[in-house]
């Protein structure tokens, strides 16, 4: 039996990056026999960047509804909210003592985000983010953490922390490993293909799962591309490669087949078709999403049950950790 644990932050509205890089894979992999799945909404991680409390609460429920929409099934997966399980905050403090400032300072996400947010944004919580994340997975004895490539470094650090703790106190945590989505697709920003698409960035750089068809088509038309006007995938063509990846993910077609289909077309036609393809797929998902999102009673029941199931496992692990440390 494998235990799978992963989370998503309600730090903005969800993008197709979150969907293709994480949620879609979570839903697809639920059917592997014997897997136990835990998916959580990482609202404690979200507050490492300033959040509007009303919006944070709304987005937490939005994500729960999106998880159900894309096929995460509460009968196969535990869906829970991080802040509702106090053990996450508690274990973070303890694990802080098994990692150095030097190790945390090397994390690329911290470097990127703290640079962008200036001095005021260089919060201790942002620096400590990977330790909370280590706690998130170690509490549940996770075997596998399905993440986008951008998060692999954090999972590596979770392994280091777990190994260090186990070496000092005896077997306590299972050592987790990161697993990448089938394509390992990292979806890049539409306005700057050297940065990943992020929900907390600006409007034209991302496609939101809730974007209207017209907006989606407009954003793809405006997506930055090189001047070669040739639909081909390659390291030296990051912008069109990113668009080809998105096309491939939404259509299920191989990149080589798409290149062939568009060998006589320019970027204009390709971008229009891509916009229509994505708008069509997202419209279908949105219909289901709004039904699920409006059924607040069902949503609350799924979350309450998930919190309860996760809470039992987390507090058992917390007791073991405290016992090992003489904190009981
Ligand atoms: N652009 C992306 N391509 C592929 N995978 C992605 N993920 C996020 N963006 C992309 C994956 O989505 C999961 C949940 O991410 P998260 O919300 O916990 O944190 P994040 O990676 O920081 O996501 P964002 O959208 O970039 O949020 P902000 O802007 O708030 O920082 C993860 O598995 C991640 O790999």
């Amino acid at each position: 039996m494998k235990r799978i644990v992963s989370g998503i932050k309600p730090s903005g509205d969800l993008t197709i990056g979150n969907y293709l890089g994480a949620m879609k894979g979570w839903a697809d992999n639920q059917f592997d026999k014997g897997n136990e799945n835990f998916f959580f909404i990482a609202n404690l991680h979200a507050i490492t960047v300033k959040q509007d409390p009303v919006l944070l609460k709304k987005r937490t429920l939005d994500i729960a509804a999106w998880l159900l929409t894309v096929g995460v099934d509460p009968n196969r997966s535990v869906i829970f909210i991080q802040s509702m399980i106090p053990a996450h905050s508690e274990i973070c403090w303890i694990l802080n003592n098994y990692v150095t400032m030097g190790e945390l300072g090397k994390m690329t996400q911290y470097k990127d985000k703290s640079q962008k947010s200036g001095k005021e944004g260089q919060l201790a919580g942002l620096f400590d983010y990977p330790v909370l994340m280590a706690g998130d997975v170690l509490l549940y004895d996770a075997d596998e953490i399905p993440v986008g490539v951008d998060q692999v470094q954090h999972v590596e650090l979770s392994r280091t922390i777990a190994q260090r703790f186990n070496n000092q106190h005896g077997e306590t945590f299972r050592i987790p490993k990161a697993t990448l989505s089938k394509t390992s697709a990292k979806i890049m920003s539409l306005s700057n293909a050297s940065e990943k698409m992020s929900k907390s960035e600006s409007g034209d750089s991302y496609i939101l799962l809730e974007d209207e068809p017209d907006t989606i088509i407009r954003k793809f038309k405006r997506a930055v591309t090189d001047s070669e006007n040739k639909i081909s995938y390659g390291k030296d063509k990051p912008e069109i490669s990113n668009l080809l990846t998105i096309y491939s993910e939404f259509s299920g077609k191989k990149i080589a087949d798409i290149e062939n289909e568009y060998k006589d077309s320019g970027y204009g036609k390709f971008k229009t078709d891509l916009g229509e393809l994505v708008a069509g797929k997202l419209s279908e998902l949105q219909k289901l999403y709004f039904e699920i999102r409006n059924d607040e009673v069902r949503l609350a029941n799924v979350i309450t049950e998930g919190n309860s199931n996760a809470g039992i496992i987390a507090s058992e692990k917390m007791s073991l950790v405290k016992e090992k440390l003489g904190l009981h």
Side-chain angles (χ1 to χ4, degrees):
M1 184 194 70
K2 273 188 301 189
R3 194 170 275 175
I4 318 282
V5 179
S6 201
I8 192 155
K9 280 183 300 184
S11 46
D13 295 328
L14 294 174
T15 72
I16 56 169
N18 299 124
Y19 171 56
L20 298 176
M23 297 155 71
K24 188 165 174 279
W26 299 353
D28 292 347
N29 294 333
Q30 284 174 118
F31 300 97
D32 286 359
K33 278 210 190 88
N35 280 1
E36 275 188 331
N37 306 286
F38 291 75
F39 300 122
F40 64 96
I41 299 153
N43 52 356
L44 294 174
H45 279 282
I47 61 167
T48 54
V49 171
K50 218 176 243 164
Q51 303 292 337
D52 170 344
V54 175
L55 211 49
L56 183 65
K57 202 165 177 177
K58 174 193 169 290
R59 284 176 171 152
T60 301
L61 296 178
D62 291 349
I63 294 184
W66 270 115
L67 288 176
L68 299 180
T69 303
V70 303
V72 175
D73 175 356
N75 294 315
R76 293 176 187 273
S77 301
V78 176
I79 299 172
F80 68 97
I81 297 179
Q82 187 185 29
S83 65
M84 299 306 282
I85 317 289
H88 287 253
S89 308
E90 207 176 351
I91 201 160
C92 177
W93 178 252
I94 290 175
L95 297 181
N96 272 327
N97 303 297
Y98 297 84
V99 63
T100 65
M101 308 249 294
E103 284 166 324
L104 290 176
K106 283 188 203 145
M107 297 293 114
T108 16
Q109 179 170 299
Y110 172 71
K111 286 196 240 170
D112 289 351
K113 292 222 153 152
S114 60
Q115 235 171 33
K116 275 185 197 159
S117 47
K119 256 205 154 130
E120 272 181 24
Q122 290 173 11
L123 303 172
L126 192 61
F127 189 65
D128 209 29
Y129 183 111
V131 186
L132 180 58
M133 182 167 159
D136 295 335
V137 298
L138 299 181
L139 274 176
Y140 298 94
D141 277 330
D143 296 286
E144 292 184 2
I145 322 295
V147 283
V149 271
D150 55 303
Q151 292 288 341
V152 171
Q153 195 188 26
H154 289 165
V155 179
E156 288 300 316
L157 190 67
S158 302
R159 291 167 62 86
T160 305
I161 292 173
Q163 272 153 349
R164 205 168 275 158
F165 191 101
N166 286 353
N167 287 343
Q168 287 183 38
H169 306 289
E171 207 56 29
T172 308
F173 298 120
R174 201 171 289 172
I175 311 298
K177 74 168 199 280
T179 50
L180 296 170
S181 65
K182 247 184 259 153
T183 53
S184 308
K186 185 172 177 184
I187 306 300
M188 309 310 283
S189 155
L190 299 185
S191 33
N192 176 358
S194 65
E195 288 184 355
K196 79 168 177 137
M197 184 180 285
S198 275
K199 55 178 126 59
S200 59
E201 287 297 327
S202 67
D204 275 354
S205 68
Y206 54 56
I207 304 287
L208 298 179
L209 296 186
E210 283 189 51
D211 271 345
E212 304 259 348
D214 287 355
T215 311
I216 296 172
I217 292 167
R218 179 182 52 77
K219 285 185 185 174
F220 276 119
K221 273 190 185 152
R222 282 203 196 157
V224 172
T225 32
D226 56 65
S227 54
E228 204 184 338
N229 210 23
K230 185 170 181 305
I231 319 291
S232 66
Y233 190 95
K235 267 203 173 123
D236 52 335
K237 288 167 70 70
E239 294 88 3
I240 192 70
S241 298
N242 186 38
L243 299 185
L244 275 162
T245 302
I246 297 170
Y247 195 117
S248 166
E249 289 286 317
F250 274 95
S251 63
K253 292 181 187 171
K254 291 198 182 101
I255 290 195
D257 293 338
I258 306 167
E259 285 172 328
N260 197 30
E261 200 177 320
Y262 285 92
K263 65 178 184 313
D264 300 322
S265 315
Y267 289 158
K269 157 109 178 96
F270 175 71
K271 284 176 172 180
T272 304
D273 289 359
L274 173 59
E276 282 169 5
L277 167 72
V278 175
K281 295 276 176 192
L282 289 186
S283 295
E284 280 169 32
L285 283 178
Q286 285 167 7
K287 261 187 228 142
L288 182 59
Y289 168 74
F290 287 116
E291 257 173 51
I292 293 173
R293 183 65 179 88
N294 289 332
D295 190 349
E296 299 237 339
V297 175
R298 178 181 174 225
L299 207 52
N301 286 340
V302 167
I303 292 169
T304 307
E305 198 185 335
N307 288 345
S308 160
N309 290 336
I312 293 168
I313 297 172
S315 50
E316 271 173 18
K317 182 60 81 181
M318 220 35 246
S319 295
L320 175 67
V321 169
K322 284 182 167 172
E323 203 178 294
K324 297 260 179 175
L325 296 177
L327 293 171
H328 246 328

